[in-house]
Amino acid sequence: MLGGVAGQAFGWRWVFTGSAALTLVLGLATTRVLPTRHRPRTGSLAAGVAALPGLLRRSPDLWRACLRQAGMVGAWSALWTSLALLLTGPRYGLSTATAGLFGLSASAVAPLAGGLVDRFGAARVVRSAYLLSAASVPLFWLGGHRMIALWPAALAIHAALVASHVANQTLALTTTPAPAAANTVYVVSGFAGGALASALAGPAFGHFGWGGVCAVAGLWPTVAWGVTAVRR
């Protein structure tokens, strides 16, 4: 929401400039707060990166968690990177500040996902998150015609993303003896899935409108779940 307000007031260049400055400040503050620990080196950085594909092959649970999270982040990214185009376009004609309210409302569900894995188990949480994301895509499509459908759709896809992230990261870090390397693969997979889906969502919106974006968002987790369900 703050990004939308700042973008409307000062322009988007200042939004990115402010984001870069805040990232620098947080990075410097983190280096002052975290304890300094020196660990003996056991190998080079290049060797560690080269070993990541082998880690994926040896851990099917890690591979499955990475691919499923990539599908979930892809669906979320496709919808959220294109939602501003819908809201500020001729259909609704909202300002960027008003469009940012969707992000504020969706973020309210994030703290609720923390205890789900402890209570129900990671595998069940991931399945439920995927079902919730599947239900959100038709709501997003309907939101292209009815504004009221966008609010529950935004809440659903954000809740699905957060819940699946907590569960998939738990699986990624606890099913291999190298949790730091597993976390690297997991984070890269999620960002790669989101970046690829966003890259497709833009042309889809340009050629097919909001329905094309919803098709990309529905396809991404469907493929990810289908591949991981078939290949064990």
Side-chain angles (χ1 to χ4, degrees), residues 79-160:
L79 291 165
W80 279 98
T81 55
S82 307
L83 185 59
L85 300 177
L86 173 68
L87 294 175
T88 59
R91 177 66 187 181
Y92 294 118
L94 300 180
S95 65
T96 55
T98 305
L101 291 174
F102 282 87
L104 178 64
S105 62
S107 64
V109 304
L112 303 178
L116 293 179
V117 174
D118 292 334
R119 184 173 182 181
F120 300 106
R124 184 179 296 181
V125 171
V126 174
R127 289 196 298 268
S128 301
Y130 259 73
L131 290 174
L132 188 58
S133 70
S136 71
V137 173
L139 283 174
F140 269 109
W141 175 83
L142 183 60
H145 308 278
R146 298 289 185 272
M147 170 72 74
I148 193 172
L150 288 176
W151 293 103
L155 292 172
I157 193 64
H158 197 78

Side-chain angles (χ1 to χ4, degrees), residues 37-109:
R37 296 179 60 185
H38 298 282
R39 300 178 60 182
R41 294 185 178 181
T42 57
S44 65
L45 177 61
V49 173
L52 295 180
L55 180 65
L56 275 174
R57 289 194 299 270
R58 293 190 302 270
S59 179
D61 288 331
L62 172 61
W63 174 83
R64 191 175 298 112
C66 290
L67 194 55
R68 287 180 175 176
Q69 190 61 18
M72 182 66 71
V73 176
W76 182 88
S77 297
L79 291 165
W80 279 98
T81 55
S82 307
L83 185 59
L85 300 177
L86 173 68
L87 294 175
T88 59
R91 177 66 187 181
Y92 294 118
L94 300 180
S95 65
T96 55
T98 305
L101 291 174
F102 282 87
L104 178 64
S105 62
S107 64
V109 304

